[in-house]
Amino acid sequence: MSVDLKEFLSYVAKRVDEYMLSKIVGEPSVLYQAARHYIVAGGKRLRPAIAIAVARMLGGSEEVAIPLAASLEVLHTFTLIHDDIIDQDDVRRGVPTVHRVWGVGKAIVAGDLLHSFSYRAIVDAVERGLDPEHGLRAVKVLAEASIEICEGQIMDMDFPTMERVSVDQYIEMVSKKTGALFEASARMGAIAARAPQSVEESIGRALRLAGIAFQIKDDILGIVGDEKVLGKPVYSDLREGKRTLPIIYALNNVDEGSRRELLRVLGNRNATREDFERAKSIIVECGAIDYSEKMARRYLDEALKIVESIDAREPSYRDLLKSLMTLMVERRR
Amino acid sequence: MSVDLKEFLSYVAKRVDEYMLSKIVGEPSVLYQAARHYIVAGGKRLRPAIAIAVARMLGGSEEVAIPLAASLEVLHTFTLIHDDIIDQDDVRRGVPTVHRVWGVGKAIVAGDLLHSFSYRAIVDAVERGLDPEHGLRAVKVLAEASIEICEGQIMDMDFPTMERVSVDQYIEMVSKKTGALFEASARMGAIAARAPQSVEESIGRALRLAGIAFQIKDDILGIVGDEKVLGKPVYSDLREGKRTLPIIYALNNVDEGSRRELLRVLGNRNATREDFERAKSIIVECGAIDYSEKMARRYLDEALKIVESIDAREPSYRDLLKSLMTLMVERRR
């Protein structure tokens, strides 16, 4: 039996959204509207899909996997709300950002609310039959991932103030900011299946690598992606002065004149569309996109190799997981 | 044997601070400095003291109670950082607020980091010998308290936009914003002692009531407190237009002229010291402070009655807890 990736993704989205929207309810209604805003707006639900695919691959029950999968998506959503405040972004998933609609103060609290609900969902998994030992393990995994996310976020914020950012520093940053939660997603699946700790660690390692590849792809789309497909303004990475992989590569490899031109545009909120287009050409022409694509592919291949080596109770779900990981790098949005 | 309250508070502060400062370490150092800023600046450590007093009263071990007590203080500290951003406060515990030193973006992330560490501390309690069932229970208690805190925070933010706020609405708000975490503190102590659920609920109820009394006292100090003793500017509640109990009472009980004068000053960031002093006289002279003091006392008495009815393994710690609760209402800062 083989599982269709597209069908699986829409099945996961349906189950996890149902769960999230039935739990994240309460008063004052303005708080819950703000907290549900990005959930209602859609999204790929990649992290829940990974958790559920891993759980199924290792013989776990969906009943328990769903709240654990939801805890990851809820945590992810909270970080998006806070990141959008920090980056002063106006649009996300085709809708105005939470702080643009409800103001910064309420957006901060809406994020905090979701952060709390992500732990509440783990308690739910135990109420649905997961043993408390594994429940506690899930709490540890989630807490440690979110600590890393905060660390990565601060590194990301500080990069624009640094004279030079190396590729190693970049990889460390995205490993924390993005890789950690993908690792947690895989671990949650393994926990739902009560897999041995060594399996949890291997699958976690694989998905951290895939998460790094995912972020590199995000960076690439931030330069050459299609605004309409992405649902958010292109060039926002350039406008915010982010040090993404293509930008780092370009800054470290172009001639001094082009480097100075790039630096003038990066983080310049008054830069024009023409400035951004000129910066984009510099980045594309120096080979930064090719370099980044190859780097993403290398991380993905390493991740797939690890997944291949893990004993699967249900091999069709291992194949599904591999397709999912490949999609993380081959997507257009 | 009787336990001296002052000695107990400084003992708790020492143990819990040691624990927090040994755990909340990492890179980037700027993130951890921001996160540790209010912890290093001091504070009363009331919530940990309640947790440890309850644990001891019910026969629990301190080894397990310390990380649970710390989880409450860490959560509380995270909410202070985010509240200060929302209220645009400049000073807390005698030091500049986190967002004033490191900017809003980093302050948001520093708060999020502490939020994550509060759950990490519960995992620690299990690693120190608490059984996973009770560990999971602690996670549930913390998550539900923090959900309530977010709800109370939004109510608090919305009150200034309302034509009239009733005392009942106020009590509901402070029950969530402040009472919930005091309830959680008592429950954590009961969990550390593996007390029966009925005991956990009673002691939790008692401390929620004491927490409401504590907040009313805070509101009183916000009008008639001594700036030097408080470590933060007096009149900030008036300047921010907060609907605290004395203010609500005054708005609902003074003549129309005084009411209009109060409304002109409330939330007016251009109001002068003289404006605030005039507002203060209106509030004091209409009996709002007396009313609030009596209300606080009524909540405290009800709370003490419940504590009195609970079977204590170590009665000296019940007496200590009662002194602690009384201090919550009789303090000057």
Side-chain angles (χ1 to χ4, degrees):
Chain A
M1 182 203 87
S2 103
V3 190
D4 180 75
L5 179 60
K6 229 175 127 183
E7 266 173 39
F8 178 73
L9 278 171
S10 71
Y11 170 76
V12 164
K14 190 173 166 294
R15 292 292 309 267
V16 171
D17 286 11
E18 252 170 36
Y19 176 85
M20 291 190 292
L21 294 172
S22 73
K23 295 291 174 179
I24 302 166
V25 284
E27 295 286 341
S29 62
V30 61
L31 169 62
Y32 284 86
Q33 275 168 38
R36 292 158 64 104
H37 186 58
Y38 292 158
I39 296 173
V40 172
K44 296 177 284 276
R45 311 296 186 241
L46 276 178
R47 294 158 191 81
I50 288 163
I52 293 171
V54 170
R56 295 297 305 265
M57 163 183 159
L58 300 173
S61 98
E62 248 177 42
E63 187 65 11
V64 158
I66 298 257
L68 294 184
S71 78
L72 300 155
E73 187 66 21
V74 173
L75 189 95
H76 175 57
T77 309
F78 127 61
T79 66
L80 295 180
I81 296 175
H82 284 188
D83 283 5
D84 287 342
I85 300 170
I86 293 167
D87 293 340
Q88 303 180 34
D89 279 330
D90 297 321
V91 178
R92 153 95 57 194
R93 295 180 179 171
V95 296
T97 48
V98 174
H99 64 103
R100 284 280 168 240
V101 181
W102 288 278
V104 167
K106 284 181 181 155
I108 291 174
V109 181
D112 293 340
L113 181 79
L114 291 179
H115 195 175
S116 307
F117 267 107
S118 67
Y119 290 95
R120 187 63 190 76
I122 295 174
V123 175
D124 245 17
V126 175
E127 285 165 1
R128 287 176 173 212
L130 183 67
D131 59 294
E133 279 93 330
H134 280 89
L136 237 294
R137 183 130 194 94
V139 172
K140 186 177 183 186
V141 163
L142 198 69
E144 291 184 346
S146 57
I147 289 167
E148 276 198 74
I149 292 170
C150 292
E151 293 171 347
Q153 172 67 13
I154 295 288
M155 290 180 76
D156 197 18
M157 288 165 75
D158 276 345
F159 278 177
T161 68
M162 287 164 60
E163 173 61 24
R164 227 166 246 268
V165 176
S166 71
V167 171
D168 283 355
Q169 287 170 314
Y170 166 86
I171 293 292
E172 188 191 343
M173 183 276 283
V174 300
S175 173
K176 285 173 177 289
K177 189 172 170 175
T178 309
L181 193 58
F182 279 101
E183 172 170 338
S185 305
R187 282 181 183 264
M188 287 289 189
I191 288 167
R194 297 171 212 197
Q197 188 136 345
S198 63
V199 171
E200 184 194 319
E201 274 161 22
S202 295
I203 197 89
R205 170 92 191 124
L207 268 294
R208 180 181 289 257
L209 296 173
I212 294 170
F214 171 87
Q215 185 58 52
I216 295 172
K217 182 66 183 197
D218 226 56
D219 292 356
I220 294 168
L221 293 172
I223 305 292
V224 297
D226 181 332
E227 191 151 322
K228 286 195 205 77
V229 179
L230 289 173
K232 62 182 171 190
V234 81
Y235 299 144
S236 60
D237 285 351
L238 291 170
R239 195 174 39 250
E240 289 158 17
K242 288 274 172 76
R243 293 303 186 264
T244 69
L245 187 59
I247 295 171
I248 289 168
Y249 179 89
L251 284 173
N252 292 351
N253 288 281
V254 295
D255 61 71
E256 196 48 36
S258 298
R259 179 176 151 84
R260 242 178 278 129
E261 203 169 338
L262 267 182
L263 286 172
R264 193 183 58 77
V265 174
L266 281 171
N268 179 352
R269 291 189 179 262
N270 298 319
T272 63
R273 188 145 193 116
E274 287 67 46
D275 290 332
F276 290 132
E277 273 159 18
R278 174 77 193 117
K280 174 178 169 177
S281 325
I282 294 173
I283 293 167
V284 172
E285 279 160 26
C286 75
I289 301 299
D290 288 348
Y291 170 83
S292 303
E293 291 278 10
K294 273 186 197 130
M295 182 82 101
R297 189 74 221 181
R298 211 182 313 145
Y299 275 95
L300 174 66
D301 288 342
E302 175 71 14
L304 291 171
K305 227 169 69 187
I306 298 172
V307 170
E308 196 52 55
S309 75
I310 294 170
D311 236 4
R313 279 262 204 107
E314 294 215 41
S316 61
Y317 277 95
R318 178 164 60 201
D319 292 341
L320 179 77
L321 179 65
K322 286 164 67 185
S323 317
L324 198 49
M325 291 161 70
T326 305
L327 176 74
M328 285 166 63
V329 177
E330 292 181 352
R331 68 206 164 92
R332 287 178 56 230
R333 66 183 184 101
Chain B
M1 181 204 87
S2 102
V3 189
D4 180 74
L5 178 59
K6 228 175 128 186
E7 266 173 39
F8 178 74
L9 278 171
S10 71
Y11 170 76
V12 165
K14 189 173 166 293
R15 292 293 308 268
V16 171
D17 285 11
E18 252 169 36
Y19 176 86
M20 292 191 290
L21 294 173
S22 73
K23 296 291 174 179
I24 303 167
V25 284
E27 295 286 340
S29 60
V30 62
L31 169 63
Y32 284 86
Q33 274 169 39
R36 292 158 63 105
H37 185 58
Y38 291 157
I39 296 173
V40 172
K44 296 179 283 279
R45 311 296 187 243
L46 276 178
R47 294 158 191 82
I50 288 162
I52 292 171
V54 170
R56 295 297 304 266
M57 161 184 161
L58 299 173
S61 98
E62 248 177 41
E63 187 65 10
V64 157
I66 298 262
L68 294 184
S71 79
L72 301 155
E73 186 67 20
V74 172
L75 190 95
H76 175 58
T77 310
F78 127 62
T79 66
L80 296 179
I81 295 176
H82 284 188
D83 283 5
D84 287 342
I85 300 170
I86 294 166
D87 293 339
Q88 303 180 36
D89 279 331
D90 296 322
V91 179
R92 153 94 57 194
R93 294 180 179 169
V95 296
T97 49
V98 174
H99 63 102
R100 284 279 170 241
V101 181
W102 288 278
V104 168
K106 284 180 181 156
I108 291 174
V109 181
D112 294 340
L113 181 79
L114 291 179
H115 195 174
S116 307
F117 267 106
S118 66
Y119 290 95
R120 188 62 189 76
I122 294 174
V123 175
D124 245 18
V126 175
E127 285 165 0
R128 285 176 174 213
L130 183 68
D131 60 292
E133 279 94 328
H134 280 89
L136 238 294
R137 185 131 194 95
V139 171
K140 186 177 182 186
V141 163
L142 198 69
E144 291 182 347
S146 57
I147 289 167
E148 275 199 76
I149 292 170
C150 292
E151 293 171 349
Q153 172 67 15
I154 295 289
M155 291 180 76
D156 196 18
M157 287 164 75
D158 276 344
F159 278 177
T161 68
M162 286 164 61
E163 174 60 24
R164 228 167 245 269
V165 176
S166 71
V167 172
D168 283 355
Q169 288 170 313
Y170 166 86
I171 294 291
E172 189 192 343
M173 183 276 283
V174 299
S175 174
K176 285 174 178 285
K177 189 173 169 174
T178 309
L181 194 58
F182 279 101
E183 171 171 338
S185 305
R187 282 181 183 263
M188 287 290 189
I191 287 167
R194 297 170 213 199
Q197 189 136 344
S198 63
V199 172
E200 183 194 318
E201 274 161 22
S202 296
I203 196 89
R205 170 92 189 124
L207 267 295
R208 180 181 290 257
L209 297 172
I212 293 170
F214 172 86
Q215 184 58 52
I216 295 172
K217 182 66 183 195
D218 225 57
D219 292 357
I220 294 168
L221 293 172
I223 305 292
V224 297
D226 180 333
E227 190 150 323
K228 285 195 205 78
V229 178
L230 288 173
K232 62 183 172 188
V234 80
Y235 299 143
S236 60
D237 285 351
L238 291 169
R239 194 174 40 248
E240 289 158 17
K242 287 273 171 76
R243 294 303 188 263
T244 69
L245 187 59
I247 294 171
I248 289 169
Y249 179 89
L251 284 173
N252 293 350
N253 289 281
V254 295
D255 62 70
E256 197 48 36
S258 298
R259 180 177 150 84
R260 243 178 279 128
E261 202 169 340
L262 266 183
L263 285 172
R264 194 184 57 78
V265 174
L266 279 172
N268 179 352
R269 291 189 179 263
N270 298 319
T272 63
R273 188 145 192 115
E274 288 67 46
D275 290 333
F276 291 132
E277 273 158 17
R278 174 77 193 117
K280 174 177 169 178
S281 325
I282 294 173
I283 294 167
V284 172
E285 279 160 26
C286 76
I289 301 298
D290 287 348
Y291 170 83
S292 303
E293 292 277 9
K294 274 186 197 129
M295 182 81 103
R297 190 73 223 184
R298 211 182 314 144
Y299 276 94
L300 174 65
D301 287 342
E302 174 72 14
L304 290 171
K305 228 171 67 188
I306 298 172
V307 169
E308 196 51 56
S309 74
I310 294 170
D311 234 5
R313 280 263 203 107
E314 295 215 40
S316 61
Y317 277 95
R318 178 164 61 200
D319 293 340
L320 179 76
L321 179 65
K322 286 164 66 185
S323 318
L324 198 48
M325 291 161 69
T326 306
L327 176 73
M328 283 166 64
V329 177
E330 292 182 352
R331 67 204 164 93
R332 288 178 55 230
R333 69 183 181 102

